[in-house]
């Protein structure tokens, strides 16, 4: 009898451990963000584009400051910073990788530097539907200590078309709805997803109060998007 | 660490085109990223004018609704004016940015100093 109970509890414990591994509080996941290392400001370097989608970098660069500013951080003005990189001959973020992060503190006075890598940007056109798969990796480093303050990796599938039952209309609609300017709000919502996993910055009313919030480290969230 | 998220286009478009939204941090952005994207992809007098107009619109809306102008908006206007050679206007906008966000001071003061050296 006793041994049966013990077995059961061991199994239960195993279950608990397995499910706990997927969820952590923000404070457990990113402890430095709850110390005096927490940055007020960040400079975002041009996206490191590992894909063949030439437009992806610009799209993600121009849309990135808004979600991070909304999350409570001071983001160094992207277009001005971009001009400075250009004048220094820096067009891609990977030219800045491996540089001592103190450079970003000296040049911009930024407490942190954010690197964004685009790993995937796949456009899939089917007859009745279309989607874009975007894979991104964010790494936020302290410019004072070189430590990783926050990081996040995501794979986002964006449906850009749906079926109306009329193939010709769908092909046209798909082509129209994936025109480049439509990607601007998409790119912004892609960043928005990542930012959700990040502790709030000082300019957000919930700054410092989200340590116990759960952040999803390994999980997939699929949703039915368009119902026929 | 990998997370898969599906973002429906329709929903994001609705959010983007919906009525004036103010974020939890109290910012209004108008059409900022669209006008910035157009200017970045195709820099011209027209796209710059459209973006500049959007920046002014954000400032006006924020003033009317007692909101803080979002990070970078004043700084961008300052920068646009500095490039035109209107240093007085540039400094006034930079000052407004530094008032709202002291974190910008180091960078903007440096920017002004470098421009002075260059001219």
């Amino acid at each position: 009898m006793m041994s049966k109970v013990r077995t059961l509890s061991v199994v239960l414990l195993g279950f608990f451990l397995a499910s706990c591994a997927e969820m952590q509080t923000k404070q457990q996941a990113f402890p430095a963000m709850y110390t005096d290392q927490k940055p007020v400001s960040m400079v975002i370097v041009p996206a490191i584009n590992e894909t063949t989608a030439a437009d992806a970098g610009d799209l993600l660069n121009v849309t990135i400051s808004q979600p991070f500013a909304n999350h409570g951080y001071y983001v160094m003005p992207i277009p001005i910073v971009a001009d400075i990189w250009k004048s220094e001959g820096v067009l891609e973020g990977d030219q800045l990788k491996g540089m001592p992060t103190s450079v970003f503190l000296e040049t911009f006075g930024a407490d942190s530097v954010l690197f964004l890598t685009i790993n995937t940007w796949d456009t899939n056109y089917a007859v009745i539907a279309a989607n874009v798969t975007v894979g991104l990796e964010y790494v936020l480093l302290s410019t004072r200590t070189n430590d990783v303050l926050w990081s996040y990796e995501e794979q986002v599938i964006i449906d850009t078309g749906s079926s109306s039952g009329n193939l010709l209309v769908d092909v046209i609609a798909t082509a129209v709805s994936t025109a480049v300017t439509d990607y601007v709000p998409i790119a912004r919502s892609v960043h928005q997803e990542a930012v959700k996993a990040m502790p709030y910055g000082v300019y957000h009313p919930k700054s410092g109060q989200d340590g116990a919030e759960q952040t999803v480290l390994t999980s997939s969230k699929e949703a039915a998007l368009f119902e026929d | 660490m990998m997370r898969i998220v599906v973002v429906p286009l329709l929903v994001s478009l609705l959010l983007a085109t919906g009525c004036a939204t103010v974020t939890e941090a109290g910012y209004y952005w108008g059409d900022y990223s669209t006008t910035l994207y157009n200017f970045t992809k195709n820099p011209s007098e027209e796209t710059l004018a459209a973006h500049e107009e959007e920046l002014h619109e954000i400032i006006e809306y924020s003033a009317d609704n007692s909101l803080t102008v979002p990070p970078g908006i004043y700084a961008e206007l300052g920068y646009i004016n500095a490039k035109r050679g209107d240093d007085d206007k540039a400094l006034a906008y930079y000052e407004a940015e530094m008032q709202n966000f002291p974190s910008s001071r180091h960078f903007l003061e440096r920017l002004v100093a470098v421009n002075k050296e260059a001219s």
Side-chain angles (χ1 to χ4, degrees), chain B residues 84-96:
Chain B
R84 273 192 201 123
D86 195 337
D87 289 341
D88 291 345
K89 257 192 191 168
L91 285 177
Y93 283 127
Y94 286 157
E95 196 52 51

Side-chain angles (χ1 to χ4, degrees), chain A residues 74 83 106 152 155 188, chain B residues 3 29 33 41 79 97 106:
Chain A
Y74 181 76
D83 271 7
E106 284 152 24
Y152 188 78
Q155 179 112 2
R188 209 167 49 222
Chain B
R3 195 173 170 207
W29 291 92
S33 40
K41 281 316 281 183
Y79 189 65
E97 178 86 9
H106 178 98

Side-chain angles (χ1 to χ4, degrees), chain A residues 40 55 58 66 70 74 83 106 109 152-153 155-157 159 180 186 188 204 206 217 221 225, chain B residues 1-7 9-10 23-24 29 33 37 41 76 79 83 97 101 103-104 106 110:
Chain A
V40 173
D55 267 339
D58 276 340
Q66 212 170 319
N70 286 340
Y74 181 76
D83 271 7
E106 284 152 24
Y152 188 78
E153 206 178 335
Q155 179 112 2
V156 186
I157 302 161
D159 270 76
V180 160
I186 295 175
R188 209 167 49 222
H204 194 283
K206 290 188 210 149
L217 292 181
K221 196 170 82 183
L225 301 174
Chain B
M1 281 303 276
M2 185 64 83
R3 195 173 170 207
I4 296 179
V5 182
V6 177
V7 180
L9 175 65
L10 278 183
T23 71
E24 274 184 44
W29 291 92
S33 40
Y37 180 77
K41 281 316 281 183
E76 277 188 46
Y79 189 65
K83 274 183 156 173
E97 178 86 9
F101 302 103
S103 301
S104 66
H106 178 98
R110 216 185 133 118

Side-chain angles (χ1 to χ4, degrees), chain A residues 15 21 24 34-35 51 63 74 91 136 138 145 151 157 159 161 170 198 202 204 209:
Chain A
F15 268 115
Q24 270 190 313
Y34 295 88
T35 66
T51 76
T63 50
Y74 181 76
L91 297 174
L136 298 175
Y138 302 77
T145 63
S151 67
I157 302 161
D159 270 76
D170 283 337
M198 188 190 209
V202 294
H204 194 283
Q209 297 165 32

Side-chain angles (χ1 to χ4, degrees), chain A residues 125-129 162 164 166-178:
Chain A
Y125 294 100
V127 177
I128 53 160
S162 63
S164 70
N166 178 330
L167 287 186
L168 186 62
V169 168
D170 283 337
V171 170
I172 294 165
T174 297
V176 169
S177 67
T178 44

